[in-house]
Amino acid sequence: MELKAVIVEDEANSREILRNYLAKYCDKVTLLGEGATIEEGLQQIKRHSPDLVFLDVEMPFGNAFDLLDQIPDRTFETIFVTAYNQYAMDALNHHAAYYLMKPINIDELIKAVDYVRTIKEKENALEGQVLQARSVKAEGKITLPQQDGFQVLEVADIYFCKADDNYTEIYLEKRKIVVSKTLKYFEEALQSYSFARIHKSYLVNVTEVVKYKKGKGGSVVLSNGKELSVSASKKAELLSYFQ
């Protein structure tokens, strides 16, 4: 799993050392930004929404805990990097994932990053289960995993779903929602409802179909006026809904 990271450290030399260590020894860590003060750190975190923040404790005009207190609903993990061991308990109380002492030990750095990666992978696995689990519990509703949680939709409000590589575009009456799941994923999640896979790119709410146009595969027109192609291999499956 790729980890997006930000460094908040007031000493330029320390930032450079950590930057070089991450590039050389920690695979799949992408450093997106750096800050030398609490204010700069907050800006970088808000701009990049990182998975991981490397955070020095003592900085000008405050400390790391002042920064964390300004982000109560954090979605990132924190690795403290400091020359002072007296802050370990405070770091624990702020739910730090790891506490590294300066000078940085490379093996400890690798261990810390791997630990955070394990945490994020477990979180992603749980989030990936949200859609299917919730759709079973709430009849007629489905949840769409998003970066900051999930969105609940009425299944009946979905006109069709369109594949976009590893993403799916969910089309509603006046807007679309892009979700980082494949169309196959939604085909399985919506199998208990009236949705038909009419094409490699389209999953259609059959209750919204108002017209079928003949052809080798043909096409369907939905109640919102949208016309979608039907592949020849999916034609029989679609027409079975209208027999």
Side-chain angles (χ1 to χ4, degrees):
M1 175 185 174
E2 190 80 26
L3 292 176
K4 299 181 295 181
V6 163
I7 296 174
V8 184
E9 161 70 67
D10 65 314
E11 296 179 0
N13 184 56
S14 295
R15 291 198 303 273
E16 182 180 5
I17 290 172
L18 181 53
R19 186 192 314 127
N20 291 337
Y21 280 0
L22 290 173
K24 187 172 182 178
Y25 300 108
C26 298
D27 292 338
K28 296 184 179 181
V29 174
T30 302
L31 185 59
L32 299 180
E34 300 179 12
T37 65
I38 292 173
E39 183 178 351
E40 289 178 3
L42 286 170
Q43 291 174 352
Q44 292 296 320
I45 290 168
K46 291 177 181 178
R47 180 181 303 163
H48 298 295
S49 299
D51 303 303
L52 169 60
V53 174
F54 292 93
L55 191 55
D56 187 16
V57 176
E58 293 196 348
M59 288 178 285
F61 311 109
N63 60 36
F65 309 113
D66 297 323
L67 183 152
L68 293 176
D69 287 341
Q70 295 185 59
I71 314 175
D73 298 320
R74 298 191 295 274
T75 58
F76 59 84
E77 296 296 327
T78 306
I79 294 178
F80 280 88
V81 185
T82 179
Y84 307 96
N85 59 15
Q86 67 263 35
Y87 295 110
M89 184 57 68
D90 286 333
L92 182 63
N93 291 335
H94 281 76
H95 307 289
Y98 218 91
Y99 195 90
L100 290 176
M101 294 294 296
K102 296 178 182 177
I104 297 174
N105 178 285
I106 294 172
D107 290 335
E108 282 295 306
L109 173 62
I110 294 171
K111 184 178 177 181
V113 170
D114 286 344
Y115 180 66
V116 169
R117 180 175 286 111
T118 299
I119 292 173
K120 301 305 289 187
E121 286 175 345
K122 288 180 180 179
E123 287 180 358
N124 288 347
L126 287 173
E127 290 169 1
Q129 296 170 11
V130 166
L131 187 148
Q132 197 159 2
R134 294 274 177 165
S135 66
V136 171
K137 291 181 180 178
E139 185 64 31
K141 296 181 185 293
I142 196 167
T143 61
L144 308 180
Q146 297 179 332
Q147 187 173 359
D148 59 350
F150 60 87
Q151 179 175 354
V152 181
L153 286 183
E154 294 283 349
V155 171
D157 290 341
I158 301 173
Y159 282 82
F160 68 98
C161 305
K162 180 181 178 181
D164 183 11
D165 292 329
N166 290 325
Y167 292 82
T168 297
E169 298 174 352
I170 310 294
Y171 284 83
L172 309 176
E173 183 176 4
K174 295 182 179 180
R175 63 191 176 105
K176 73 175 179 180
I177 302 171
V178 180
V179 183
S180 58
K181 296 290 181 184
T182 65
L183 189 61
K184 179 66 175 177
Y185 184 89
F186 282 98
E187 183 179 9
E188 294 174 356
L190 293 167
Q191 62 184 348
S192 60
Y193 301 99
S194 297
F195 279 77
R197 185 74 176 263
I198 64 169
H199 189 277
K200 67 178 181 179
S201 297
Y202 300 120
L203 179 68
V204 169
N205 185 346
V206 176
T207 63
E208 297 295 339
V209 174
V210 296
K211 185 175 183 179
Y212 171 74
K213 294 184 178 180
K214 292 182 179 180
K216 184 176 181 180
S219 64
V220 292
V221 179
L222 305 184
S223 61
N224 63 354
K226 183 70 174 180
E227 184 172 347
L228 304 174
S229 297
V230 179
S231 65
S233 62
K234 298 293 185 181
K235 180 177 179 178
E237 178 184 346
L238 171 67
L239 296 182
S240 69
Y241 282 87
F242 300 96
Q243 293 176 348

